[in-house]
Amino acid sequence: MGPIKSVLSLIPSIRLSGSGSKVAYQELPSHDMSHATSPLDESPIMSDTWRKGLSAPRRRLGSLLRASPRRLFIITLTVFFTLVLLAGGSLRARRYYVEKAKAEERIPYHWELYPRLNGFYNGVRSLVKYSDWIPEQQDASKAKLEIHKAPPFDPVSVNPYPDFSSDEYLKDHHPVQRCYVDDNEKYPAPDIFAYPGIPAGMTAPYWGSYENLGIAPDRCWERFGRFGPYGYSYNPAEGGLGLSNNSAHAGAEKIQELFTKVDYRNVNWGKAQKKCFEKNQKRFEPETTTSDGATGQKKAVKRSAYVLRTWTGYKYTDIQLLSLRAMINELSLKSGGEYDVHFLVHVKDDTIPIWASEEVYNRTVRESVPEEFWDMTTLWSEQLMRLYYPGPWRDEDNVENHSHSDIHGVYRSAHFALQWFAQQHQEYEFFWNWEMDIRYTGHYYEFHNGVSTWAAEQPRKLLWERSSRFWIPGAHGSWAKFSQLVERETLERKEEPVWGPAKFPTSGLGMLPSPSDTTPPKKIEDDDYEWGVGEDADLIVFDPLFDPAKTNWVFRNDVTGYNTSLETPPRRAAIITVARLSRRLLNTMHEETYGMHHSMFPEMWPPSVALHHGYKAVYAPHPVYFDRKWPLDVMDKIFNYPAAPHESPFGWGEHNMQGGSFYYNAGFSGALWRRWLGAKENGEGGKKLENSRSGRMCLRGMLYHPIKSESIE
């Protein structure tokens, strides 16, 4: 059965009957007697005296001894048969559980058989220079780590921003005024700290690149330097959160000396953001024309809204406050107002008239969001979306409604609220749609600015084709070689690449006209990877832009408002709705929804509108890690060359993502994040283990999704 099992493990649709056991990292449900399916699962019925270990009164024994021989015989016979029945019941119970365990035996997925990678857990006392680092996957020596008594390098402040005071910057831009956390300007926006090295034997990412995205590859982050300035490492009496009391502390004292403790008890982040923008407003104003007709020489900086998608009833923990404060400080205050962070809160109770009463609105804000974020919160509800996008939305215009949900429900149309929000905030050039279950170990500005800059540098030629695949540097080589591979395979397969707005049959209301600048200036064969270079991307996503028609992704046909008698429109999708969208893309999405009554499933709608109208869309190849040592050829085949639609990693093949650091079902992500925070996970980690080995974990910048729980020891 061994070889057969190996083959069957590659086919997720084949499982032994009753296979209910859980795969790696999947959370086990707690036992609930209400779900018992057999009397054998129920607690035995016992008398109180038996339960409490009490003996029966003596008079019962006396009565038994005075019984007649016939009665004693009957009692003996009864006891004998009772014991037989109990023995038989015990045997049946044992057989039941044995058979149940056999039925639940699961064929392991092929990736579960690969060796585990453990370099993630090497800590700050094993740091080496980046130039001396050998990735765990390539280190065959298995040499023992050199562990120091303290971190061998000193922590450094991280400043990924342009040199705002340099002559070069000031030649093209207005000066940047310093921003503060508090209204009295006592606390400047704080710095954060990292180590200039990485742990020996650290695991390397399988996908993506730090260097290509402009993210420093030679430093790592541990929890004191990353979150200490936001209150992690000092007590509530000082305005902190006091979360580090039971943490390994080697080297933490040096970090503590590098920053001023901010008292966060009375911080109003919305007010701080607004004041920062007002101080720096001149930076964002368009070029002006003087009386003699000359234009100003300073470049206007484009602004972004960073939209956090939350809801009423959401539980904000002290641990998550650290990440939220980091976003606001690093994206908004430290950048001189380039970003504004917003909380877009879904009011789940449709009976609350948030549009009719300021008092009701404000009360709902106060009940739904921590006080420090009140002034940066916007409420919406599905009822509000029904008013804003009335339709008509006819059932006969649905290609397929797999979830059987309302078109105005957040499950099918989370983009409605973002489109509505963008219509109220046309002052922003870009909108980042960010989920509450994402975390990042690195510097937020470094990541977001790096991704945006890289996306602008990408030429449009074969951009959709490159963005549909996973770039695996260990298998494909450099980004340039990967791009050449995509070009060669596109030609060999005689595929028609995307070049300008998609053409497809329509009827009824037809299609909205596309902007003139999305029409290619020349034929694709005449373009030498020139068109699009230096052009800001309209859509940046963090998983590949795949064609759902080539997969068995369950929501591939959730398409609404198009003529169902015609061929379903071409579409693209990117799993997980986190993305950066341009104002013009969101405006087109709004017009398509409001005027044309078009919509699709949330992961499919922005990419498909971009495809239809020729907007620039790109998958940013950020570093993604895996918990096991995959053979590179196997990884490339499974993720980039599925043999059939059902084998796609975006269909039944999605189990391959469970050991990764970023996907909707990436269980390893949460486990790794909690270990990094210092918590025990699956019986491993925690202060005692960190102290006995190499200290606190120190990881490079990494996106984690999904994070459904957080903890510290």
Side-chain angles (χ1 to χ4, degrees):
M1 183 66 180
I4 297 176
K5 273 194 174 184
S6 298
V7 173
L8 293 181
S9 71
L10 294 167
I11 309 173
S13 58
I14 297 180
R15 287 287 177 268
L16 296 177
S17 64
S19 61
S21 62
K22 306 298 181 182
V23 298
Y25 303 118
Q26 196 165 2
E27 185 178 352
L28 290 171
S30 59
H31 182 67
D32 183 350
M33 291 306 297
S34 66
H35 298 299
T37 56
S38 166
L40 296 172
D41 290 331
E42 308 239 357
S43 299
I45 299 173
M46 304 178 185
S47 69
D48 287 340
T49 53
W50 187 304
R51 197 184 296 274
K52 296 174 184 176
L54 302 175
S55 62
R58 285 182 176 270
R59 60 184 177 81
R60 293 182 182 175
L61 181 60
S63 299
L64 181 63
L65 292 175
R66 290 193 299 269
S68 65
R70 181 180 178 186
R71 187 176 180 186
L72 284 174
F73 174 76
I74 294 172
I75 291 172
T76 303
L77 201 62
T78 301
V79 170
F80 173 76
F81 281 112
T82 299
L83 290 174
V84 169
L85 288 172
L86 286 172
S90 175
L91 182 62
R92 286 198 303 275
R94 185 169 178 273
R95 185 183 301 144
Y96 169 81
Y97 283 114
V98 168
E99 290 176 353
K100 184 177 180 182
K102 285 183 178 179
E104 290 184 349
E105 182 184 354
R106 184 177 59 81
I107 302 171
Y109 292 119
H110 68 98
W111 53 268
E112 293 179 87
L113 306 178
Y114 301 146
R116 273 190 61 178
L117 295 168
N118 295 303
F120 302 103
Y121 311 110
N122 297 338
V124 294
R125 294 191 288 122
S126 68
L127 295 177
V128 297
K129 294 180 180 178
Y130 180 62
S131 57
D132 295 332
W133 167 62
I134 301 174
E136 179 183 11
Q137 296 98 315
Q138 300 173 15
D139 188 3
S141 66
K142 296 185 179 179
K144 192 173 181 179
L145 290 180
E146 181 181 0
I147 300 176
H148 307 267
K149 290 184 178 180
F153 308 128
D154 289 334
V156 297
S157 64
V158 175
N159 180 17
Y161 305 94
D163 186 351
F164 292 138
S165 61
S166 68
D167 292 339
E168 182 181 358
Y169 184 84
L170 293 174
K171 185 176 79 172
D172 296 325
H173 302 87
H174 289 286
V176 176
Q177 305 299 321
R178 173 178 285 189
C179 296
Y180 294 80
V181 172
D182 63 314
D183 199 35
N184 296 324
E185 298 193 350
K186 177 182 178 181
Y187 301 110
D191 292 326
I192 59 173
F193 306 89
Y195 280 102
I198 55 178
M202 173 58 61
T203 316
Y206 275 96
W207 302 343
S209 163
Y210 290 100
E211 294 88 343
N212 279 59
L213 296 183
I215 301 170
D218 57 354
R219 60 178 173 234
C220 70
W221 304 84
E222 49 72 61
R223 49 192 181 265
F224 280 87
R226 182 68 187 90
F227 286 145
Y230 301 119
Y232 166 77
S233 53
Y234 54 98
N235 293 322
E238 301 172 288
L241 294 170
L243 298 174
S244 67
N245 297 335
N246 202 32
S247 169
H249 273 72
E253 308 80 19
K254 288 188 176 181
I255 297 174
Q256 298 282 80
E257 294 170 358
L258 294 174
F259 65 86
T260 301
K261 296 175 182 177
V262 176
D263 186 347
Y264 287 101
R265 285 173 291 186
N266 296 309
V267 166
N268 182 328
W269 288 106
K271 199 170 184 180
Q273 274 194 153
K274 184 179 179 183
K275 193 170 184 178
C276 185
F277 167 69
E278 290 172 348
K279 273 187 173 184
N280 292 282
Q281 190 166 357
K282 202 171 182 181
R283 298 179 63 207
F284 311 109
E285 294 173 349
E287 294 182 354
T288 57
T289 303
T290 60
S291 57
D292 59 1
T295 57
Q297 298 300 309
K298 304 297 185 182
K299 296 178 181 177
V301 177
K302 297 174 181 177
R303 300 194 74 217
S304 296
Y306 198 75
V307 185
L308 300 173
R309 303 300 300 272
T310 181
W311 55 91
T312 53
Y314 184 85
K315 303 300 182 185
Y316 295 83
T317 66
D318 284 352
I319 300 174
Q320 187 168 19
L321 288 182
L322 298 170
S323 291
L324 298 174
R325 292 170 178 176
M327 293 173 188
I328 302 165
N329 180 64
E330 293 156 28
L331 291 172
S332 179
L333 303 190
K334 295 290 287 185
S335 72
E338 291 181 25
Y339 291 76
D340 275 342
V341 178
H342 293 266
F343 286 71
L344 186 56
V345 180
H346 174 204
V347 179
K348 298 172 79 172
D349 185 348
D350 266 346
T351 66
I352 299 177
I354 55 175
W355 58 86
S357 166
E358 185 176 356
E359 180 185 352
V360 169
Y361 189 98
N362 292 335
R363 183 174 66 247
T364 306
V365 168
R366 291 194 298 269
E367 293 173 350
S368 305
V369 179
E371 184 173 356
E372 57 191 281
F373 309 125
W374 284 355
D375 285 354
M376 50 205 305
T377 296
T378 302
L379 305 180
W380 72 277
S381 67
E382 293 176 8
Q383 185 61 33
L384 181 60
M385 293 303 103
R386 291 185 184 95
L387 297 172
Y388 200 69
Y389 293 121
W393 302 99
R394 305 184 308 172
D395 290 341
E396 56 266 33
D397 292 334
N398 285 336
V399 176
E400 181 182 340
N401 180 2
H402 181 82
S403 63
H404 304 289
S405 301
D406 179 7
I407 188 64
H408 292 98
V410 68
Y411 191 72
R412 288 186 70 204
S413 298
H415 48 278
F416 280 9
L418 187 66
Q419 294 169 189
W420 166 79
F421 179 85
Q423 291 302 300
Q424 320 307 312
H425 291 284
Q426 291 288 290
E427 68 271 23
Y428 299 114
E429 190 75 27
F430 304 107
F431 297 79
W432 293 82
N433 191 66
W434 214 248
E435 296 180 0
M436 298 298 284
D437 58 354
I438 290 185
R439 302 291 181 270
Y440 185 61
T441 33
H443 195 291
Y444 277 103
Y445 185 89
E446 181 180 40
F447 177 80
H448 289 79
N449 189 61
V451 164
S452 301
T453 301
W454 178 86
E457 293 169 351
Q458 300 312 300
R460 280 175 169 263
K461 185 173 182 177
L462 298 178
L463 183 57
W464 284 95
E465 288 70 31
R466 292 192 298 279
S467 294
S468 69
R469 306 188 192 192
F470 295 95
W471 172 36
I472 309 171
H476 303 139
S478 67
W479 178 257
K481 289 183 177 179
F482 173 67
S483 300
Q484 292 169 3
L485 171 68
V486 173
E487 180 181 29
R488 184 173 66 252
E489 291 187 348
T490 302
L491 291 171
E492 290 172 353
R493 296 173 180 176
K494 297 182 179 180
E495 295 176 347
E496 184 177 351
V498 176
W499 193 239
K503 301 292 191 294
F504 57 92
T506 61
S507 65
L509 295 175
M511 281 289 296
L512 286 174
S514 301
S516 59
D517 64 345
T518 65
T519 300
K522 58 181 74 171
K523 295 180 180 179
I524 190 169
E525 57 268 23
D526 297 331
D527 181 86
D528 190 20
Y529 290 91
E530 299 166 329
W531 184 40
V533 175
E535 175 190 12
D536 287 319
D538 292 289
L539 178 65
I540 303 174
V541 297
F542 299 95
D543 271 315
L545 288 158
F546 68 97
D547 183 350
K550 296 179 180 179
T551 74
N552 69 336
W553 181 49
V554 294
F555 301 111
R556 63 191 178 278
N557 292 320
D558 194 336
V559 176
T560 300
Y562 298 87
N563 190 331
T564 55
S565 67
L566 300 174
E567 184 180 351
T568 305
R571 50 216 183 277
R572 296 293 185 272
I575 303 299
I576 307 177
T577 57
V578 294
R580 192 194 79 169
L581 301 88
S582 70
R583 179 176 59 212
R584 71 171 184 170
L585 172 58
L586 277 164
N587 286 346
T588 301
M589 290 164 59
H590 165 71
E591 292 172 19
E592 285 274 7
T593 303
Y594 176 74
M596 314 302 287
H597 311 147
H598 292 164
S599 187
M600 297 183 191
F601 202 72
E603 280 95 339
M604 196 158 53
W605 182 233
S608 297
V609 173
L611 177 71
H612 295 173
H613 293 279
Y615 290 133
K616 185 178 181 181
V618 60
Y619 154 49
H622 61 102
V624 174
Y625 292 77
F626 280 80
D627 68 335
R628 286 168 169 80
K629 189 175 181 180
W630 280 67
L632 292 174
D633 58 336
V634 174
M635 176 172 276
D636 189 26
K637 180 180 179 181
I638 284 177
F639 287 101
N640 287 321
Y641 303 98
H646 69 268
E647 293 184 7
S648 166
F650 311 114
W652 286 350
E654 64 188 14
H655 66 85
N656 292 288
M657 301 282 198
Q658 289 183 2
S661 58
F662 189 84
Y663 198 62
Y664 93 90
N665 67 342
F668 176 56
S669 177
L672 185 63
W673 174 254
R674 289 185 288 274
R675 284 287 301 271
W676 181 83
L677 286 171
K680 288 184 178 179
E681 184 76 16
N682 295 324
E684 300 174 332
K687 179 180 179 179
K688 185 176 180 180
L689 186 74
E690 289 182 341
N691 282 333
S692 67
R693 294 188 180 177
S694 55
R696 300 181 305 283
M697 288 169 59
C698 200
L699 298 174
R700 294 191 286 177
M702 187 191 313
L703 273 184
Y704 303 78
H705 182 277
I707 305 300
K708 298 303 183 185
S709 66
E710 297 178 281
S711 58
I712 57 174
E713 188 175 16

